[in-house]
Amino acid sequence: MRTWIGIGLAAAGALVAALAGGGLADAQETPQVLKLTSVEQHCATADNGRRGESLADLDACRGVLRDGDGARAGRAHWTCVYLGSTRAGSDCSGVVNLRGGTLQAAGVLSHTSVRSAWAITGGTGRYAGARGTAALRQVSAKRTAVVIRLMP
């Protein structure tokens, strides 16, 4: 479970970091599509309740985000709460710090698939009012690819 959470959580931050390269357009007519990769993360775990993997175990993580060229795009932190079974996954939320503001994301991290779908739930600064979706795909133990679609 911890490997999935660490990787998926990094994706939570990565999904919003793609926005670092482009702001939200005022008169945007088509969804803005952004791509990036989370490549570095560090996590700590709180084993709550029953010893071992159990309901309410918590992972808190931070990570470095990279754009398509490998340049640093931002940093992120996120938390995930284990929902008690591999099938249920983990309930996660994250914040990404970028030039010009922050973004927030939330969703369920799958523990049975390399893919998860999350929501962009808001932001601050130039990302105020951001809404959209993020498709996360675990590439390896240290890399998660993210495609973000922001609503016009």
Side-chain angles (χ1 to χ4, degrees):
M1 176 188 90
R2 299 296 175 228
T3 300
W4 280 100
I5 289 175
I7 293 166
L9 294 177
L15 63 94
V16 251
L19 297 172
L24 300 174
D26 291 332
Q28 192 176 10
E29 295 181 11
T30 58
Q32 184 177 9
V33 178
L34 306 157
K35 297 178 182 181
L36 83 152
T37 303
S38 173
V39 296
E40 300 172 28
Q41 68 259 354
H42 304 281
C43 298
T45 299
D47 189 7
N48 297 313
R50 196 170 29 98
R51 187 174 171 91
E53 293 180 3
S54 61
L55 180 65
D57 284 356
L58 176 73
D59 283 287
C61 303
R62 62 185 164 98
V64 173
L65 307 164
R66 305 282 177 185
D67 65 17
D69 296 326
R72 187 176 177 137
R75 56 189 168 83
H77 62 272
W78 56 92
T79 57
C80 286
V81 177
Y82 186 58
L83 297 174
S85 72
T86 299
R87 184 170 162 250
S90 294
D91 183 23
C92 304
S93 64
V95 175
V96 175
N97 296 299
L98 306 168
R99 276 185 231 115
T102 65
L103 286 165
Q104 292 184 313
V108 174
L109 176 65
S110 176
H111 293 268
T112 60
S113 172
V114 296
R115 298 180 186 277
S116 295
W118 291 23
I120 303 298
T121 60
T124 65
R126 73 188 232 194
Y127 306 107
R131 294 286 183 261
T133 61
L136 289 68
R137 182 177 55 87
Q138 180 181 344
V139 176
S140 70
K142 296 266 184 179
R143 299 176 86 73
T144 302
V146 180
V147 176
I148 299 170
R149 296 184 194 287
L150 293 177
M151 294 172 53

